[in-house]
Amino acid sequence: MNKFKHMKKLLKQCIHQLDESSSLFVINSDKDFTRKRKHLFGNTLMNVLLLEGGSLKDELYKLFGCNLDTPTVSSFVQARDKIRPDAFHTLFNLFNERTRKTKLYKGYRLLAVDGSTLPITSEIKDKKTTIRKVNNSDKPFSAFHLNTSYDILEYTYDDIILQGQAVQDEREALNKIVEHYKGDKAIFIADRGYESINSFEKIKLSGNKYLVRVKDIHSTGMLRSFGLFSDDEFDVQVKRTLTRKQTDEIKAHPEIYKFVPQNQRFDFFDDTLFYDFECRVVRFKITEDTYECIVTNLDKDEFSIQDIKELYHLRWEIETSYRELKYDLDLNTLHSKKRNLIEQEIYAKMLLYNFCSRITNGIDIAKRKSKYEYQLNFVRAFHIIREHLKKTKVPSYICNVIAKEILPIRRNRQNKRKLKPKAPVSFNYRFD
């Protein structure tokens, strides 16, 4: 069985498993999907998964073959409205459990953590997604904030924490991701914005590692409070006793103590209000006059400064994945104004991303005698995979078709293309 057929079989098994306990994932368990109709629970899950960027009417014609018995948009929306968004989240987790093939770097999984804003229509306003005033304007702004952990070596999303933009908290999202994580030892890699001693200690106590970029020594951040002022590269071990107290003794010895104010969260104080904290701080040059600063608990004997640089550089994969998710898999072209249906599509698109990625990762490209190395054209690969996922029969040569779609890798390009960020497409005809 080829890779595509195998993945499709596993996906259908996951949907069937949810279908057998559908009463747990619907709004009204006594009557929703209890009678046979055009829209069955499992079929509706799959159809949401396969939605592209067209209007709902066009998407239904694609899914049902432009037949006379193609369901109406209204009936499809009503069927979706019966399903709770956590059905798709559960399906995402179930598919990951069945298809994950763990890849390690020096014995660790590499999990990049980052967030991304997904603008949605402001026609419906609520306390979680809608900010009333933005940039001194009275115009409301509505969005979901997508927080994820991304497996850098397997190119797949590992966990999702979905928040409304008005209540988004990336540090709290990181804490939840760490609490959820039960796999092999991992290194959580994050950018600025996740600078939090509370999160660092949470990751350490979970038995895992962290590598987080923080503000430089010249900024008002953690490193400045540690008294690190050497304007050069360094790799040092920092030890401080954290405390809520502010006695003369504590103020006189900043090299021993670090004061933690009441408005700064720290979950690990005992009755004495003292806690010993230790971390490694690495500062390295990236241009003639700029530096990057990393806080980590990776051991200096096992991970050199060069290893730290390489690991932080690999974090960029999650940024690339967000672009592919939004533009190549149409997450920016939502089909509803309703918050619960938007959540469904977010989880569905992330599952589809993992489905596509696990197929493309197993495809080898034939080596060519050429000026350039070659890689898969992931945009074309995603389109081919989604198109054949809609079909009942999958041709045996599907992986060979995907392998033909390649692009040259042009390293160190001097004149990079200037890409404008795309706004989400929110034409009224896409909505229910």
Side-chain angles (χ1 to χ4, degrees):
M1 184 182 292
N2 67 32
K3 185 105 176 180
F4 190 105
K5 287 184 177 180
H6 179 62
M7 284 294 164
K8 186 174 181 179
K9 181 180 178 181
L10 291 175
L11 176 59
K12 286 190 171 183
Q13 287 174 356
C14 293
I15 291 174
H16 180 68
Q17 186 172 331
L18 262 66
D19 200 0
E20 288 185 323
S21 54
S22 60
S23 60
L24 300 175
F25 302 105
V26 296
I27 303 299
N28 190 332
S29 58
D30 292 330
K31 69 175 190 176
D32 290 343
F33 297 103
T34 55
R35 292 192 299 168
K36 284 201 169 185
R37 301 199 176 190
K38 281 188 179 179
H39 299 290
L40 303 177
F41 178 82
N43 291 345
T44 304
L45 292 182
M46 178 60 90
N47 289 336
V48 173
L49 191 67
L50 295 174
L51 289 177
E52 297 183 42
S55 69
L56 269 179
K57 191 66 176 176
D58 287 341
E59 293 303 310
L60 290 174
Y61 275 135
K62 288 179 189 177
L63 291 170
F64 291 88
C66 296
N67 295 321
L68 285 172
D69 61 348
T70 298
T72 64
V73 168
S74 177
S75 68
F76 180 61
V77 171
Q78 288 175 41
R80 286 185 61 188
D81 223 359
K82 296 174 184 177
I83 302 174
R84 301 205 323 254
D86 65 332
F88 290 87
H89 198 178
T90 303
L91 183 60
F92 170 87
N93 289 329
L94 190 59
F95 181 74
N96 267 359
E97 289 170 12
R98 296 225 180 151
T99 59
R100 183 185 293 116
K101 288 190 175 179
T102 303
K103 297 180 181 179
L104 303 177
Y105 176 95
K106 292 191 175 184
Y108 294 92
R109 287 183 72 196
L110 302 183
L111 297 176
V113 177
D114 203 0
S116 183
T117 300
L118 183 65
I120 58 177
T121 176
S122 295
E123 229 171 277
I124 299 174
K125 301 175 181 63
D126 63 28
K127 293 181 180 179
K128 290 186 177 180
T129 62
T130 305
I131 300 173
R132 298 290 172 174
K133 293 187 178 182
V134 183
N135 299 328
N136 298 318
S137 168
D138 289 333
K139 187 177 180 181
F141 173 73
S142 294
F144 276 105
H145 196 79
L146 191 57
N147 304 277
T148 66
S149 58
Y150 182 82
D151 191 315
I152 294 171
L153 300 179
E154 206 200 359
Y155 303 102
T156 53
Y157 290 102
D158 194 67
D159 196 6
I160 311 166
I161 304 294
L162 196 56
Q163 300 171 325
Q165 185 69 15
V167 295
Q168 68 102 356
D169 183 341
E170 289 191 329
R171 293 177 183 180
E172 178 58 24
L174 171 58
N175 291 341
K176 288 183 178 179
I177 286 170
V178 174
E179 289 170 7
H180 292 172
Y181 185 71
K182 306 298 180 189
D184 295 88
K185 288 189 300 181
I187 303 173
F188 291 91
I189 306 171
D191 206 357
R192 288 184 302 187
Y194 293 91
E195 182 177 327
S196 165
I197 291 178
N198 187 63
S199 296
F200 297 163
E201 202 61 16
K202 194 174 192 71
I203 294 170
K204 175 189 169 185
L205 293 174
S206 73
N208 295 295
K209 304 292 184 180
Y210 60 85
L211 188 157
V212 181
R213 180 189 173 201
V214 298
K215 294 177 182 176
D216 198 11
I217 55 174
H218 302 298
S219 302
T220 55
M222 179 188 300
L223 299 193
R224 193 168 186 83
S225 71
F226 285 154
L228 300 175
F229 300 113
S230 174
D231 200 3
D232 203 350
E233 294 187 329
F234 56 75
D235 183 355
V236 297
Q237 205 71 20
V238 175
K239 297 180 181 180
R240 292 292 186 275
T241 298
L242 309 179
T243 180
R244 296 279 191 203
K245 298 182 178 181
Q246 271 192 307
T247 64
D248 290 340
E249 167 74 11
I250 289 166
K251 291 178 181 177
H253 295 283
E255 77 282 3
I256 299 174
Y257 300 100
K258 174 175 168 51
F259 172 66
V260 181
Q262 291 290 341
N263 63 356
Q264 183 176 321
R265 180 177 174 181
F266 190 74
D267 299 329
F268 307 102
F269 282 124
D270 57 21
D271 294 337
T272 65
L273 294 184
F274 288 96
Y275 189 92
D276 291 332
F277 172 74
E278 183 176 359
C279 67
R280 176 184 175 190
V281 181
V282 179
R283 188 174 191 257
F284 51 85
K285 185 177 287 189
I286 54 173
T287 67
E288 280 301 314
D289 54 357
T290 57
Y291 292 80
E292 294 281 26
C293 292
I294 302 293
V295 172
T296 183
N297 64 335
L298 291 172
D299 191 275
K300 190 181 294 189
D301 293 333
E302 189 178 2
F303 292 87
S304 66
I305 291 182
Q306 192 57 41
D307 291 330
I308 299 292
K309 290 180 182 179
E310 180 184 348
L311 287 173
Y312 179 72
H313 178 71
L314 288 173
R315 190 204 68 84
W316 187 253
E317 292 294 340
I318 193 171
E319 305 282 1
T320 303
S321 75
Y322 277 139
R323 187 186 66 228
E324 292 169 342
L325 187 67
K326 289 182 176 181
Y327 303 121
D328 300 342
L329 290 181
D330 306 307
L331 184 55
N332 266 359
T333 52
L334 299 165
H335 296 85
S336 183
K337 300 174 186 177
K338 296 180 180 179
R339 293 340 192 209
N340 63 318
L341 301 191
I342 291 172
E343 288 184 50
Q344 289 180 4
E345 289 194 47
I346 293 171
Y347 292 129
K349 287 292 189 288
M350 299 193 75
L351 168 55
L352 182 63
Y353 180 95
N354 282 5
F355 181 90
C356 294
S357 191
R358 287 197 167 109
I359 290 170
T360 55
N361 285 343
I363 294 177
D364 294 323
I365 302 172
K367 291 185 178 180
R368 299 182 170 203
K369 291 183 179 180
S370 172
K371 177 181 177 181
Y372 299 108
E373 293 178 61
Y374 282 81
Q375 64 180 2
L376 277 180
N377 181 340
F378 292 102
V379 178
R380 296 303 314 151
F382 288 166
H383 291 176
I384 292 168
I385 291 168
R386 182 157 56 180
E387 186 61 31
H388 282 280
L389 188 54
K390 295 176 184 177
K391 298 177 180 179
T392 306
K393 292 185 178 181
V394 179
S396 59
Y397 53 80
I398 178 65
C399 291
N400 294 330
V401 174
I402 296 170
K404 289 175 64 179
E405 298 294 337
I406 56 176
L407 290 172
I409 302 173
R410 296 182 176 92
R411 304 185 190 279
N412 303 317
R413 294 183 73 177
Q414 296 300 313
N415 298 313
K416 294 185 178 180
R417 290 179 295 171
K418 295 178 181 179
L419 301 176
K420 291 184 179 180
K422 297 180 182 179
V425 179
S426 53
F427 301 124
N428 285 333
Y429 72 77
R430 297 186 193 280
F431 298 145
D432 59 271

